[in-house]
Amino acid sequence: MMILRHANSNQFARFTSTSPLSSIPHEPTITLASNCIRDYFGPTVQLVADALISRKGGSTLLQIIATIETKAYISVHRSDERHEIMRLGKLRASTLNSKSNNGDRPTHASVRASLLTMIQHSIVIVKERTTTSVSIKKGNHTGSKSKTVHTYEIDTDRARLFPRYPRLVEFVKKALDETAATLVETLLVQGRARTVQAIVLTVEQLQQQQQDVNENNDQSSTRSDHRYTSRQSVLETFLRLTRGGFLELVPVVKDMDKEDDEEEAELTEESLGFTNTTVKTETTGDGTHNNDDDDEDPAVVSLLRNGPYKNIPAKAIWRVNINMFHEQLRAVSLGWLVAERYNHKIQSSGSIVTAALKFAAAQRYGNAIMKTSSKNSDGSSNDDNNTSSAVPISDFEAIHNFSIEKILKYLPKAVIQNYEKREGGVVLNIHKTLVELSHVHDPVVVEQVEVAPGQPAHSKFQIQTRRLVEYLRDRIVHQIISDSHGEIAARIIPVLRMHGFMESDQVAESAMVPAKDTRELLHRLYRDRYIDLFNVNQGKQHNPNSMIYLWGYSRPRCTRNAADNVCIALCNIRLRRQHEVEVGKDWIERAREAENELENENELDKLMFSRFCQGLERLDNAAIQLDETLMVLNDY
C-alpha cells in the first residue's frame, strides 16, 4: 500500500513556472517559448532567455549578466513590502524541488553555460560587431584600435518548436526509414553536431535499440557486425538526408580573441573562464570536448574519404533543417485539403499537389546543401549563425514552376500505375488532371503558367500555395469562432470577408440574423479582436448620433489573433500537465520502481494510477492537436 507524501498539504498549491524576468501580461508566443525553454533546459536557462527577450536586440555577455543582477534580484530590495512578498513567495516555493526554485541567484558561469546551451540548439544567434576607437598618444600621434564584440540574439520562434520534435521524427520514419529517424532524433537531441560525431552517435543509438529488442524478446545475440557495416548504412542515410535538404550546414563562429574583445575577455578572466578552447567547443557543436574528428572514429573518416561520401566534409557542423520539415508537412496538409475538396470529381488531385510541393521544397533546400559543402570543405564560414543554405528566394520560378516529368518521382507508385492503365499514358493524363484543377476556384489550386499545345510534357504549372494556406487558415478561424461564439458569429465573418466594410444592418440582412443579435455579436467579435471598427464622421462636430459605424474583417489580424489564442491555450495545457506531474510524482516514481520491487497493490491504487495516466494522455493529445493548429497558423 503506497502512502502519498505531504498527504496533509495542499497538492494543488502554486508551483513556479516563470523566471524573475518574466513579465505578465506577455506576448503569447513569447510566453510559450519561455515555458518550452524551462521545460527542456531548466529555470536558469529560462532566466537567461528572458533577459535576452527583455533587452529586445543584440546583447553582450556583460549586458546579460547586468540585466539579471539588477532587474531580477537587486530590484526586489527597493521596498520592504515587495521584499516581504518575495520572501513569502520563496517560502511557498520551498516545498518544491530544487529544479523549479527561482530563489537562488545564478552564477556567472551558469549564465555562460546557459548561453552555450541555447547556441547549441540554435535558440540564440551569435553576431559579430566591430568597433573602432581612436587614442591620442604623446607627441600628437593618434592611433586607432578595432575590436570585435560578440552579441547574442534570441529566436523565440525556434524555442517554441521543441514539443514538435517527436512529430518530425515520426514523419522521417514514415517517409524514409528507421535509421533516418534515429539520425534526425540524435541531431535534434544534440542541437548540432559534426559529421563524424553525428554518425557515431547514431550507430550507438541503433545498437542500443537492437540490444533492447533482443532483451525484450529474450534473445542472446553473439554476432558482431563488421565496423564498416552499420557505419556505412548510417552514412548512406546521412547522404540521403543532406541531398534531400533535411539537414543543413551551420557556419562556424570565429573564436573570441582576448585582444579583439577586451570587455568579454576581462569578464572571462575574472569569473567565467571563457577561454578560446571553450569557445571553440561552443562553435564546433561539441558539448564535451574539442578533439579532432580523426581521433574519434577512424572507420568513419576512412569512409568519408572514398566513394560517394567524399563530398561530405568531415569537420562540418550539421543541424536539422526545420524549414524543410515545415515545407514537407505543409505539402501533406495541402494535399489532404485538395483531396477532400476535389478528389470525388478529379482523381488523385491531392497526391499531385503534394508531389508538386515536395518538388518545390527539394528545389529550394535540397540542391543547396551539397553545393555549400563543396565550397567550404572544412565547414568554416564567416556568415551569420542564422544563415540558411537555401536557394535565393528571388529565383521564384525555378522553385515553384514545374513540369510533369519533374514531379513523377514524388508521386506514389499506386497513382502512377493507375495513370499507366489509362489511354495516353502517365504524362498526358496528369496533364489533363492539372488542367482540370486550374479551372476550380474554391479554392484556387493550380495555375498554368506556360502552355505547350500538343506537347503536355513541356507545359509548366504552379501550385497556388498562398491561396491554399489562406483557405486552410480561414477554416481554422471559422471553427475557432464557431466554438467560442456560435454558428451565427461564424456566419458573419465570411460575410465581412466577402463584402468588406459594412454597417450592422447590412450585416444582419446578409447573414439573415435579427439586427439586435447582430449588433451584440459584432461587439463580441470586436472585443475579442476578430473584426475591426471604422468610424465615419458626417460633420465637423464629433456627434456619436451622426456617425456611421462600419465593421470590417482583416485576414492577417484575425489569423494572428487566432494564433495568439492557440498559444495561450497550448501554454495553459502545458502548465496543467507540468502541475499534474508535480502532484503525481509519487505515482511516477512508483511506476519506475515497480520492476525492481514487489509491492502490495490493491484495486484502489490501480484505479487511481490508471486515471492519472489517462489524464496525462488526454493532456498530451490536446497539446499535439493545438500544436498542429499553431503550425498551420504560424509556420506554413
Side-chain angles (χ1 to χ4, degrees):
M1 182 70 181
M2 187 190 70
I3 299 177
L4 290 176
R5 302 175 186 174
H6 311 293
N8 296 328
S9 62
N10 183 12
Q11 296 181 358
F12 298 95
R14 175 184 176 273
F15 74 103
T16 306
S17 61
T18 59
S19 70
L21 288 177
S22 299
S23 59
I24 299 175
H26 222 326
E27 292 185 14
T29 54
I30 294 178
T31 304
L32 179 60
S34 179
N35 180 261
C36 292
I37 292 174
R38 183 187 184 91
D39 190 20
Y40 282 82
F41 302 114
T44 304
V45 182
Q46 183 196 27
L47 179 62
V48 177
D50 289 340
L52 287 170
I53 293 173
S54 63
R55 291 191 56 84
K56 295 182 180 180
S59 305
T60 62
L61 191 58
L62 265 179
Q63 293 171 341
I64 296 171
I65 294 177
T67 301
I68 294 174
E69 290 182 345
T70 56
K71 293 186 178 181
Y73 294 96
I74 295 179
S75 59
V76 300
H77 301 288
R78 291 180 179 177
S79 64
D80 296 336
E81 181 182 0
R82 183 170 181 181
H83 175 66
E84 182 66 18
I85 293 174
M86 295 299 295
R87 187 183 68 82
L88 294 176
K90 292 179 182 179
L91 289 178
R92 286 194 297 267
S94 62
T95 57
L96 303 176
N97 54 14
S98 59
K99 183 178 180 180
S100 60
N101 189 8
N102 289 328
D104 298 333
R105 180 181 300 183
T107 61
H108 293 176
S110 62
V111 173
R112 170 192 166 275
S114 300
L115 273 177
L116 292 178
T117 300
M118 290 189 287
I119 292 172
Q120 179 78 9
H121 290 269
S122 303
I123 303 175
V124 170
I125 304 166
V126 184
K127 292 186 177 180
E128 296 180 356
R129 186 183 63 200
T130 304
T131 58
T132 304
S133 59
V134 179
S135 59
I136 300 177
K137 300 180 181 179
K138 295 182 179 180
N140 296 329
H141 293 288
T142 60
S144 61
K145 182 179 180 181
S146 62
K147 63 177 181 179
T148 302
V149 179
H150 290 77
T151 59
Y152 306 93
E153 296 181 5
I154 189 168
D155 185 4
T156 55
D157 292 332
R158 181 89 180 194
R160 62 177 173 81
L161 299 182
F162 287 109
R164 200 172 298 172
Y165 284 177
R167 179 179 176 85
L168 305 184
V169 175
E170 189 66 23
F171 176 80
V172 172
K173 184 177 180 180
K174 293 180 180 179
L176 297 177
D177 52 20
E178 186 77 28
T179 305
T182 305
L183 178 57
V184 170
E185 182 180 5
T186 301
L187 278 176
L188 289 175
V189 172
Q190 294 293 326
R192 57 183 67 176
R194 288 180 290 179
T195 306
V196 178
Q197 182 188 12
I199 295 169
V200 171
L201 291 175
T202 304
V203 171
E204 294 176 355
Q205 186 67 22
L206 289 173
Q207 292 176 353
Q208 184 64 37
Q209 293 176 3
Q210 187 63 36
Q211 291 178 3
D212 295 340
V213 171
N214 294 334
E215 291 177 359
N216 294 333
N217 297 333
D218 296 332
Q219 297 177 359
S220 59
S221 178
T222 58
R223 170 178 167 268
S224 58
D225 295 334
H226 194 267
R227 63 176 184 175
Y228 287 97
T229 306
S230 56
R231 289 162 174 77
Q232 189 166 2
S233 63
V234 174
L235 258 176
E236 184 176 348
T237 303
F238 189 91
L239 184 61
R240 291 173 60 191
L241 290 174
T242 53
R243 287 178 175 175
F246 293 97
L247 305 180
E248 63 178 350
L249 281 168
V250 181
V252 178
V253 183
K254 287 183 178 179
D255 292 348
M256 188 179 299
D257 194 0
K258 178 179 178 180
E259 297 180 356
D260 292 340
D261 195 346
E262 295 178 353
E263 184 182 49
E264 300 286 348
E266 181 180 359
L267 182 65
T268 298
E269 292 176 355
E270 293 180 357
S271 58
L272 297 182
F274 202 25
T275 60
N276 289 337
T277 305
T278 56
V279 174
K280 192 173 182 180
T281 303
E282 164 201 340
T283 56
T284 54
D286 190 350
T288 55
H289 52 82
N290 192 33
N291 296 333
D292 293 335
D293 286 339
D294 302 279
D295 299 333
E296 293 179 357
D297 197 316
V300 177
V301 176
S302 62
L303 286 172
L304 288 173
R305 293 174 179 172
N306 301 313
Y309 316 116
K310 61 183 179 180
N311 291 329
I312 302 178
K315 296 183 180 180
I317 308 170
W318 302 88
R319 68 181 175 188
V320 176
N321 189 355
I322 301 294
N323 295 327
M324 180 61 175
F325 276 95
H326 284 162
E327 294 271 351
Q328 295 287 326
L329 293 173
R330 185 183 66 181
V332 175
S333 299
L334 296 184
W336 287 347
L337 175 64
V338 173
E340 177 189 343
R341 295 287 297 167
Y342 304 116
N343 253 18
H344 63 283
K345 57 182 179 181
I346 306 176
Q347 294 184 0
S348 304
S349 57
S351 300
I352 294 176
V353 170
T354 300
L357 292 177
K358 286 184 177 181
F359 167 74
Q363 286 292 106
R364 183 173 184 179
Y365 296 106
N367 296 332
I369 298 289
M370 299 310 297
K371 291 179 182 179
T372 308
S373 63
S374 62
K375 291 180 182 179
N376 301 331
S377 59
D378 57 347
S380 61
S381 176
N382 297 329
D383 297 336
D384 182 57
N385 192 30
N386 199 27
T387 303
S388 176
S389 55
V391 176
I393 302 179
S394 59
D395 196 2
F396 184 84
E397 295 182 358
I399 297 174
H400 296 280
N401 293 354
F402 64 93
S403 59
I404 298 174
E405 295 178 348
K406 292 182 179 180
I407 66 171
L408 291 179
K409 65 177 182 178
Y410 299 98
L411 284 171
K413 294 182 179 179
V415 175
I416 295 179
Q417 292 175 359
N418 186 21
Y419 279 120
E420 286 177 348
K421 297 177 182 179
R422 300 182 185 180
E423 183 180 358
V426 178
V427 176
L428 181 60
N429 286 284
I430 293 179
H431 180 268
K432 291 180 180 179
T433 303
L434 288 171
V435 171
E436 291 180 7
L437 281 175
S438 64
H439 295 157
V440 299
H441 300 285
D442 190 25
V444 177
V445 180
V446 177
E447 179 185 358
Q448 189 172 4
V449 294
E450 290 187 15
V451 181
Q455 295 179 340
H458 295 140
S459 299
K460 289 188 178 181
F461 299 86
Q462 183 183 119
I463 304 296
Q464 298 298 304
T465 309
R466 182 180 61 84
R467 296 189 180 183
L468 289 174
V469 171
E470 287 180 353
Y471 182 83
L472 187 58
R473 289 175 176 172
D474 290 342
R475 289 181 57 173
I476 293 175
V477 172
H478 179 274
Q479 189 62 43
I480 292 175
I481 296 176
S482 178
D483 294 339
S484 58
H485 297 281
E487 291 290 340
I488 299 177
R491 193 191 310 166
I492 291 175
I493 295 297
V495 172
L496 292 175
R497 184 169 61 241
M498 184 179 298
H499 298 285
F501 284 92
M502 302 174 65
E503 295 187 61
S504 60
D505 294 337
Q506 297 174 345
V507 175
E509 183 179 356
S510 300
M512 295 181 291
V513 182
K516 182 179 178 181
D517 297 339
T518 302
R519 286 194 294 270
E520 183 179 354
L521 289 173
L522 287 173
H523 279 282
R524 289 181 181 177
L525 293 173
Y526 174 72
R527 179 193 61 191
D528 293 340
R529 298 181 299 174
Y530 285 109
I531 60 176
D532 300 328
L533 177 61
F534 182 69
N535 302 331
V536 179
N537 191 9
Q538 293 182 342
K540 295 182 179 180
Q541 298 178 353
H542 295 278
N543 186 4
N545 295 326
S546 63
M547 284 187 179
I548 299 177
Y549 298 93
L550 299 177
W551 304 92
Y553 174 82
S554 174
R555 179 183 277 117
R557 178 180 177 180
C558 189
T559 303
R560 184 171 61 252
N561 184 40
D564 291 342
N565 292 337
V566 172
C567 283
I568 294 173
L570 180 57
C571 189
N572 292 335
I573 288 290
R574 290 179 55 82
L575 290 176
R576 174 63 184 273
R577 192 189 188 282
Q578 294 166 10
H579 181 263
E580 291 293 332
V581 171
E582 182 66 29
V583 172
K585 58 184 178 182
D586 293 318
W587 295 108
I588 299 175
E589 293 178 0
R590 180 184 179 185
R592 291 175 179 175
E593 298 175 357
E595 298 179 357
N596 300 328
E597 299 180 1
L598 296 176
E599 299 187 15
N600 184 18
E601 293 184 345
N602 55 23
E603 295 298 329
L604 181 60
D605 288 339
K606 293 181 179 179
L607 179 61
M608 293 183 65
F609 182 71
S610 177
R611 289 179 178 177
F612 172 73
C613 296
Q614 187 178 8
L616 293 182
E617 184 178 357
R618 289 178 177 176
L619 291 174
D620 290 336
N621 292 333
I624 291 173
Q625 293 176 5
L626 286 173
D627 186 66
E628 290 179 357
T629 305
L630 182 62
M631 181 168 55
V632 176
L633 294 175
N634 260 3
D635 303 319
Y636 277 3

